[in-house]
Amino acid sequence: MVKALIVVDMQNDFMDDGALPVHGSVAIIPAINRYIELFSSKGAKIIATRDWHPENHISFRSRGGLWPPHCIQNTKGAQFHPSLRLAKNTLIVSKATDPDKEAYSGFQGTGLAYSLKSESIDELYVCGVATEYCVKNTALDALAYSFKVHLLTDAIKGIDEEASKVAVQEMVNKGVLKDSLNAVKL
Ligand code: VGL
Ligand code: ZN
């Protein structure tokens, strides 16, 4: 099988002191960097998704949404955390760019499934934030597109711990495989 790594939304606004903090997110960066090194060393493709909102995005409280403004296009908050060691050839996927549509999945409106399939990629390893939002929706969409999907449980973090546990269970029930640094086989 042809494998790829998807790093979900490791952007400043989601880090511990960001506009929409995922507490403990900075602590998973070393594990994510190890996965990046591992996949790069095997010549596997690496994808980094980013939340990339216009400043009037529908998910913001000003428009009746759930969230404070975050990951606004071309701001510092939308940049990847400086400690994240993304290789130069990483495929950057920008999502939730339509002001009137929420999009928690890296597959939604991005053409990602098409570009992965055009490279014969059929097995995905998912890490990043937030477990119960963008990680979950990306992993479940990947299943729906018939990829084999692994969740890297030592390199994800959620906004709410209980909701994250429920989300992991839902992913597993639907066919996502749990994996981790000392178990992963490439
Ligand atoms: C996310 C909340 C709002 C995520 C994005 O990346 O999980 N969460 N926008
Ligand atoms: Zn968002």
Side-chain angles (χ1 to χ4, degrees):
M1 298 187 77
V2 183
K3 302 166 196 284
L5 174 69
I6 303 188
V7 178
V8 176
D9 295 9
M10 291 299 288
Q11 298 163 268
N12 289 321
D13 274 343
F14 293 127
M15 299 297 111
D16 292 73
D17 56 356
L20 203 178
V22 179
H23 296 288
S25 53
V26 170
I28 64 171
I29 294 175
I32 295 181
N33 284 337
R34 288 180 63 189
Y35 283 116
I36 292 171
E37 277 170 34
L38 186 63
F39 279 73
S40 303
S41 73
K42 304 278 182 181
K45 191 174 189 75
I46 296 168
I47 299 102
T49 68
R50 63 181 180 187
D51 217 22
W52 196 245
H53 296 314
E55 59 188 4
N56 60 341
H57 192 251
I58 192 165
S59 75
F60 297 168
R61 286 179 189 139
S62 56
R63 291 196 58 196
L66 281 179
W67 311 114
H70 63 277
C71 298
I72 294 171
Q73 296 167 8
N74 304 305
T75 62
K76 183 155 184 247
Q79 289 173 11
F80 293 114
H81 189 281
S83 301
L84 195 68
R85 291 206 295 269
L86 291 172
K88 279 191 219 77
N89 58 356
T90 302
L91 173 66
I92 309 281
V93 173
S94 303
K95 63 178 172 61
T97 59
D98 182 331
D100 299 321
K101 275 194 200 127
E102 180 54 299
Y104 288 128
S105 162
F107 289 93
Q108 202 176 332
T110 61
L112 177 58
Y114 176 84
S115 57
L116 296 177
K117 290 192 187 245
S118 72
E119 296 184 42
S120 300
I121 291 163
D122 53 4
E123 187 168 12
L124 300 174
Y125 292 76
V126 181
C127 61
V129 297
T131 305
E132 72 273 48
Y133 291 99
C134 290
V135 169
K136 178 180 108 168
N137 283 276
T138 299
L140 293 182
D141 264 1
L143 282 182
Y145 282 109
S146 301
F147 292 95
K148 184 170 180 181
V149 184
H150 300 252
L151 181 68
L152 300 171
T153 56
D154 49 3
I156 53 173
K157 201 76 202 175
I159 295 170
D160 179 83
E161 200 175 335
E162 192 50 41
S164 297
K165 280 187 195 155
V166 172
V168 170
Q169 195 53 52
E170 181 184 346
M171 288 185 255
V172 169
N173 291 344
K174 290 184 167 157
V176 172
L177 306 165
K178 286 205 230 176
D179 219 331
S180 60
L181 266 171
N182 47 22
V184 72
K185 285 211 177 62
L186 295 192

